[in-house]
Amino acid sequence: MILLAQLSDTHFDLKTRNAERVERVLAYLAALPRQPDAILLTGDITDAGRPEEYEQALVTLGSTTIPLWVLPGNHDDRNALRRVLLGEDASAEPLDRAMRLDGLTVALLDSTVPGTGGGELGDDTFAWLTDLLRATPPGDAVLIALHHPPMAMYSTVVDPIRLANPQWLEQIVAADDRILGVFTGHAHTMGTTLFGGKPLVVAPSVASTIGGAWEVTAPGEVPIDYAPDPALLLHVVDEGRLTTLLRPVPMGGRIAAV
């Protein structure tokens, strides 16, 4: 059994609120009797992509001893993310990476388009994914992660800036039996549907919640709520099956039943 924790949309902004929410989530994971094998942060690590925001993120995220993998979101900056958070040379090239665990490969795809809020997967990313799948052992399970959902989430905020070219990715997902599911963030609320016949699981935001189209009372309104506790997803990969659990993490801590 492999256990993955998925965090998303942390929006480090140099203020204390969002950083404290991430700290609380990491403390919850650290205290688990059975810790996750890895943590996956699916984009919008920072709020504005500034180097100082990544420095704040580095302090907070660097406190965990669990292996942590990140991919960029539309609020991130590839250069600053690489240089400050990953300790790599600055580069504006797509940040596509593979996380490999025992019997599991996770493809982290960079769906960001610098200077815009919407998402798109470029030819280089599709070529990289094709090569990765070709090199992945036949017996491995595969998960795909990116920031932008490839399907409508019934959000007046997110749907106009979701993944613009999902067709090729959907064909890849449908054609490969090793692919168990696709993970994204961006929507600031949990959502599930099918994509290429496989589960598409959208993670909630650690920072805030955005309501659906039915919660909009006036054109242009953003139905955002800062009151809910942070939440994360726990994904279990076991015997070729993907199971996903939602876990809110109370900011006040845990109250055990007597």
Side-chain angles (χ1 to χ4, degrees):
M1 183 190 83
I2 294 175
L3 180 64
L4 298 177
Q6 182 187 358
L7 283 60
S8 201
D9 298 83
T10 48
H11 287 272
F12 284 93
D13 58 2
L14 301 182
K15 300 175 183 178
T16 59
R17 176 189 179 274
N18 291 349
E20 289 173 351
R21 290 166 74 88
V22 177
E23 289 171 0
R24 181 71 194 96
V25 170
L26 294 179
Y28 160 74
L29 293 175
L32 289 175
R34 200 293 196 190
Q35 292 187 354
D37 296 288
I39 300 171
L40 176 61
L41 204 172
T42 46
D44 281 1
I45 302 162
T46 64
D47 197 53
R50 293 181 290 175
E52 314 90 82
E53 293 175 333
Y54 288 107
E55 290 169 0
Q56 183 188 35
L58 181 61
V59 171
T60 302
L61 297 174
S63 67
T64 183
T65 59
I66 302 170
L68 172 69
W69 292 75
V70 303
L71 54 82
N74 55 292
H75 282 254
D76 289 309
D77 177 85
R78 291 171 178 170
N79 283 295
L81 193 163
R82 278 188 166 99
R83 183 172 56 82
V84 179
L85 195 57
L86 301 182
E88 301 175 358
D89 292 336
S91 171
E93 294 300 310
L95 184 60
D96 302 316
R97 299 195 297 165
M99 177 175 72
R100 297 188 184 275
L101 299 169
D102 186 21
L104 175 67
T105 295
V106 183
L108 284 66
L109 308 182
D110 186 344
S111 60
T112 62
V113 180
T116 70
E120 187 172 352
L121 295 174
D123 291 342
D124 288 347
T125 292
F126 278 119
W128 178 87
L129 177 59
T130 300
D131 289 343
L132 176 67
L133 293 174
R134 187 180 295 118
T136 298
D140 266 22
V142 177
L143 296 167
I144 294 176
L146 63 159
H147 180 67
H148 296 83
M151 302 287 288
M153 289 290 110
Y154 301 94
S155 167
T156 58
V157 179
V158 172
D159 286 352
I161 52 172
R162 66 180 188 267
L163 190 70
N165 60 337
Q167 298 84 1
W168 196 358
L169 180 62
E170 187 168 22
Q171 292 175 15
I172 292 172
V173 171
D176 196 325
D177 291 338
R178 298 172 300 173
I179 299 175
L180 301 183
V182 178
F183 301 157
T184 77
H186 194 45
H188 285 236
T189 191
M190 183 186 177
T192 63
T193 187
L194 293 177
F195 179 69
K198 312 290 177 60
L200 168 64
V201 185
V202 182
S205 165
V206 173
S208 60
T209 298
I210 296 178
W214 40 84
E215 296 180 54
V216 176
T217 59
E221 179 188 9
V222 177
I224 191 165
D225 190 347
Y226 294 99
D229 286 321
L232 72 154
L233 298 180
L234 293 168
H235 303 290
V236 180
V237 177
D238 192 16
E239 297 183 352
R241 182 186 299 274
L242 171 66
T243 302
T244 297
L245 304 171
L246 172 67
R247 182 55 161 94
V249 180
M251 289 300 293
R254 177 179 178 180
I255 301 175
V258 178

